[in-house]
Amino acid sequence: MTKAVIINGSNSKSSRLTAIHDKVENYFKAQGIAVHNNFIYELPAEDLITANFTSEAIISENKQIEEADIIVVLTPIYKASYTGILKTYIDLLPQKALRGKLILPIAVGGSIGHLLALEYALKPILSVLGATTIAHSVYILDQQIIRLENGGFAIEEEAIQRLDVELKQIQQLVIVN
């Protein structure tokens, strides 16, 4: 069975990124792909900050990545880059942890001016970790994710369409590989 890991680099579940996370998770599940969610902010902060490679929680998450076929990396864009919390986890991945994995980077940001943050900041570090098959990044503006009064979110159709194209592409790559 195909397995995906969604690495969520947000600092809370109330983030607009949660709407995208849920969309990706639901897409994979509908396709019969097993999903493991890695909400980095739920990992022990001390282990992240001190780069504790022997942490049981970190070892467990890294094992999930080792066993996965697809890795989705979600991040809000802060200060024209991916989040620091995401970087603390990336630093704890083994040197070639992403070798042989299909990678889909997705970001949510407040301005179209940060569109290239995925290209110049995130993709290079993913490549250093062994990623050779990185799908086209998906960048979604904050304003395309509407916070609903019930606490949920609605995603604008244009953003959903761009996301669906890349999700379908990554699924096709799994079949080919």
Side-chain angles (χ1 to χ4, degrees):
M1 172 181 250
T2 301
K3 181 177 177 187
V5 172
I6 303 172
I7 301 172
N8 189 318
S10 180
N11 60 3
S12 79
K13 259 196 180 159
S14 63
S15 164
R16 283 181 167 84
L17 197 66
T18 299
I20 305 304
H21 185 123
D22 291 347
K23 168 81 172 121
V24 171
E25 180 180 11
N26 291 335
Y27 176 87
F28 285 146
K29 286 182 175 179
Q31 304 305 314
I33 296 171
V35 177
H36 173 77
N37 296 305
N38 176 346
F39 294 97
I40 298 169
Y41 70 88
E42 292 179 347
L43 293 172
E46 184 174 345
D47 291 344
L48 291 167
I49 293 168
T50 62
N52 183 359
F53 289 92
T54 62
S55 160
E56 288 182 28
I58 301 300
I59 290 169
S60 175
E61 289 304 326
N62 289 351
K63 181 79 171 153
Q64 294 290 331
I65 288 176
E66 180 184 323
E67 295 171 354
D69 305 291
I70 301 168
I71 308 293
V72 177
V73 181
L74 297 170
T75 185
I77 299 296
Y78 297 149
K79 310 286 188 221
S81 186
Y82 57 91
T83 61
I85 194 170
L86 178 58
K87 178 67 166 105
T88 61
Y89 178 68
I90 287 173
D91 287 347
L92 291 166
L93 287 170
Q95 182 62 37
K96 295 298 178 184
L98 302 181
R99 181 181 284 146
K101 312 293 180 197
L102 302 171
I103 312 297
L104 176 57
I106 303 172
V108 173
S111 161
I112 197 69
H114 297 298
L115 172 69
L116 294 177
L118 289 166
E119 302 301 319
Y120 74 78
L122 187 58
K123 279 187 174 181
I125 194 84
L126 299 175
S127 293
V128 166
L129 289 169
T132 55
T133 307
I134 303 175
H136 292 125
S137 302
V138 179
Y139 184 82
I140 300 169
L141 292 171
D142 282 353
Q143 63 200 32
Q144 292 182 293
I145 306 168
I146 297 94
R147 191 178 303 271
L148 304 174
E149 289 192 24
N150 67 3
F153 298 95
I155 306 168
E156 287 185 3
E157 187 58 34
E158 186 274 339
I160 289 173
Q161 288 174 3
R162 288 187 295 110
L163 185 56
D164 281 348
V165 165
E166 295 310 320
L167 289 168
K168 288 175 185 164
Q169 178 66 27
I170 207 114
Q171 183 183 6
Q172 289 300 317
L173 289 171
V174 168
I175 293 167
V176 170
N177 291 332

